[in-house]
Amino acid sequence: MPHANGHTNGAADSTLRLPVPGSTKSFWHTELHDLADHRSTPELPTECEVLIIGSGYAGTSVAYNLAKSESTATNSVVVLEARQACSGATGRNGGHIRPDLYGHIPTYIKRYGVKAGGAWAEYEIAHVQAIKKLVAEEDIDCDFTLTRTTDCWADEEAAKKAKANYELMSSLDLPYMDDVDFVYGPKAAGVSGVKDAKACATYTAGTLYPYKFIMSLLSRAIASGKVNLQTSTPATAVHEDAAGGFVVETPRGSIKAKKIVHASNAYVSSLLPEYSKAVVPCKGICTHIAVPEGKSAPYLTNSYIVRDNDKVLSYLIPRRDGGIVVGGSAAVFYPHLEQWYNNTDDSTLIEASKDFYDGFMQRTFRGWEDSEAYVSKAWTGVMGYSWDSLPHLGEVPGKPGQYILAGFNGHGMPVVWLAAKGIAEMVATGKAYEEVGLPWIAKTTVERLQKAEEGPEGGDILA
């Protein structure tokens, strides 16, 4: 129900979308952190300076950076989480810090110019070293590995397009392309280890255990005394408070806040309905592959993006114990929109591709044929896909004091950390978006929301 003296952000309860109970369990959640069901105080605080909605990568990173800010007072930040801490997409992803150097970048160059497109690529690249530095400074045990990522194309037509794209990007004098090693032709299979590879490219990237990484940041934020975590406490509505600031409703009561950070990604439109077309929840699938005791397989050192003969894309990271985390297969379930598009049910797998990764390593990689590798666990997660493939960052248009980090398109690992640092600075200091060093093309604006509202259903998602 709207506040008697203010404006309501959220839609009616009948359209409110919250994370479902009984979600599939990811490999990363095999051992839950001590803070999984943590409540810093038994009762919900009645007020705070900053309220953060969501405890995943985005919400936790903002909380951590606010805790580091000298302008943040003790007990001034509250983080609300609908389920367990880091139980959403962050705790279900592939652990892949892989910058995009030539996927969406040509599209951004066409839309916004070479300078802006190149700047976005550099922004993603900066995350690899930034997270490496953060992990070292905080001594975080999260299996961070600085490595190379290998992109492979097994379909000849796709390989030729990849070669042309590489040559185009190389011709634009973008310095970061010097890090890319591209191989086309018969040698690609030997270089990559992927049987049918017709082309491959490698460049610097990172891998980690995402749940351990985020929970370590969250524990440090709470230990600062500035951050109060409240799990199993979904935000169900936001109202403007007649006295200034906002009132946020939850099943456990309401809390007043001077500023709000919307970091619930796929669920952000529940409280910000103007984003219902701009950020759409989409399900994905991920698996953990193990090799039986007594069997062996080649140890992979690189992370991978593999596009098979049918142009089905899979992303993969090797684990230090020899296991593999691999997901993707969107091309398989793409035609079945009801199974994944605008769908927030992560309690069930995507039926069309739930068996896709059975035998994946054997049919894809050299030397794995007799490994008897098998899927030990499969799970799904709900991601926020944006209409134009860029995240929405900054102050919500027309709603001063409310900020958003959402719409990461299943590609949040090399995007969120620096975005969260920038948003935290905006929240703590009152600086404008343009003053905190974030790429201008990702700023959330009225124009971007209008394009999503007026454009074709799904935008880049369904293009």
Side-chain angles (χ1 to χ4, degrees):
M1 181 177 292
H3 190 272
N5 297 310
H7 172 73
T8 299
N9 260 22
D13 287 345
S14 61
T15 59
L16 182 69
R17 278 180 150 174
L18 297 174
V20 303
S23 58
T24 54
K25 188 175 181 179
S26 82
F27 167 77
W28 308 119
H29 290 140
T30 300
E31 295 182 12
L32 292 178
H33 194 278
D34 291 344
L35 296 178
D37 295 296
H38 182 74
R39 287 179 178 172
S40 300
T41 54
E43 302 299 324
L44 184 71
T46 57
E47 57 184 1
C48 63
E49 292 289 319
V50 182
L51 182 71
I52 299 172
I53 301 171
S55 68
Y57 189 9
T60 292
S61 296
V62 172
Y64 172 87
N65 281 288
L66 285 175
K68 288 287 186 179
S69 174
E70 294 181 358
S71 62
T72 304
T74 301
N75 294 322
S76 62
V77 179
V78 172
V79 178
L80 298 184
E81 171 55 54
R83 298 186 298 201
Q84 292 181 319
C86 196
S87 60
T90 302
R92 300 166 182 277
N93 71 28
H96 211 182
I97 309 174
R98 176 190 172 274
D100 177 9
L101 304 191
Y102 40 71
H104 281 297
I105 302 305
T107 300
Y108 299 158
I109 287 174
K110 183 177 180 180
R111 290 177 183 172
Y112 312 113
V114 174
K115 183 177 179 180
W120 183 262
E122 296 281 5
Y123 168 77
E124 291 196 11
I125 291 167
H127 279 75
V128 179
Q129 293 298 330
I131 292 176
K132 178 179 181 292
K133 181 180 178 181
L134 174 64
V135 168
E137 288 178 345
E138 288 285 12
D139 192 23
I140 297 173
D141 177 14
C142 63
D143 298 346
F144 177 85
T145 302
L146 185 66
T147 185
R148 300 282 286 181
T149 189
T150 303
D151 280 9
C152 295
W153 294 264
D155 175 78
E156 182 62 39
E157 178 189 357
K160 288 180 179 179
K161 288 182 178 179
K163 182 175 183 289
N165 198 28
Y166 168 75
E167 292 171 347
L168 169 64
M169 296 300 291
S170 297
S171 72
L172 297 176
D173 295 324
L174 298 167
Y176 70 78
M177 289 299 293
D178 291 343
D179 186 45
V180 181
D181 180 38
F182 191 89
V183 178
Y184 175 80
K187 292 183 179 180
V191 170
S192 66
V194 173
K195 295 178 184 179
D196 298 325
K198 305 296 189 300
C200 68
T202 67
Y203 57 89
T204 303
T207 64
L208 49 59
Y209 197 121
Y211 179 68
K212 287 184 176 180
F213 173 60
I214 294 305
M215 294 305 291
S216 294
L217 291 183
L218 187 57
S219 66
R220 285 158 175 76
I222 293 170
S224 73
K226 297 179 180 181
V227 176
N228 182 312
L229 171 65
Q230 296 289 320
T231 60
S232 299
T233 309
T236 56
V238 176
H239 318 302
E240 290 182 1
D241 185 10
F246 309 95
V247 175
V248 178
E249 304 288 350
T250 83
R252 298 173 57 217
S254 62
I255 179 171
K256 292 183 179 181
K258 292 183 179 179
K259 296 180 179 180
I260 298 175
V261 178
H262 296 269
S264 59
N265 200 22
Y267 304 91
V268 74
S269 65
S270 287
L271 300 179
L272 294 172
E274 60 266 48
Y275 286 85
S276 62
K277 299 290 187 181
V279 179
V280 178
C282 296
K283 287 175 62 173
I285 192 164
C286 198
T287 66
H288 175 262
I289 292 178
V291 174
E293 188 174 348
K295 288 290 183 175
S296 62
Y299 182 76
L300 302 182
T301 56
N302 288 12
S303 68
Y304 282 83
I305 294 287
V306 178
R307 302 163 185 84
D308 67 19
N309 287 305
D310 296 321
K311 302 180 184 179
V312 178
L313 183 151
S314 297
Y315 53 85
L316 175 156
I317 70 166
R319 297 271 302 130
R320 293 179 180 180
D321 60 6
I324 301 294
V325 174
V326 58
S329 71
V332 175
F333 59 75
Y334 182 88
H336 308 278
L337 291 184
E338 74 286 352
Q339 294 184 24
W340 65 276
Y341 180 76
N342 206 13
N343 187 327
T344 57
D345 183 3
D346 60 9
S347 68
T348 59
L349 298 177
I350 300 173
E351 187 65 26
S353 66
K354 65 181 178 65
D355 300 320
F356 179 81
Y357 290 104
D358 290 342
F360 175 81
M361 298 303 294
Q362 290 93 321
R363 66 178 181 263
T364 304
F365 285 88
R366 291 181 172 184
W368 283 75
E369 293 85 355
D370 299 321
S371 66
E372 297 183 15
Y374 65 98
V375 174
S376 70
K377 188 175 288 292
W379 62 94
T380 189
V382 184
M383 300 164 284
Y385 274 76
S386 70
W387 188 86
D388 57 9
S389 79
L390 284 163
H392 281 265
L393 309 175
E395 193 167 38
V396 177
K399 293 180 177 176
Q402 298 192 55
Y403 302 82
I404 185 171
L405 298 87
F408 300 111
N409 304 285
H411 188 62
M413 292 308 296
V415 174
V416 172
W417 171 247
L418 295 178
K421 288 188 72 173
I423 297 298
E425 187 177 356
M426 292 176 68
V427 171
T429 67
K431 288 183 179 179
Y433 184 91
E434 292 74 15
E435 299 178 282
V436 298
L438 295 178
W440 68 266
I441 61 175
K443 181 181 180 180
T444 190
T445 63
V446 171
E447 290 73 22
R448 289 182 66 195
L449 295 178
Q450 287 178 340
K451 285 183 179 180
E453 195 68 34
E454 299 168 0
E457 178 70 24
D460 284 351
I461 312 168
L462 301 179

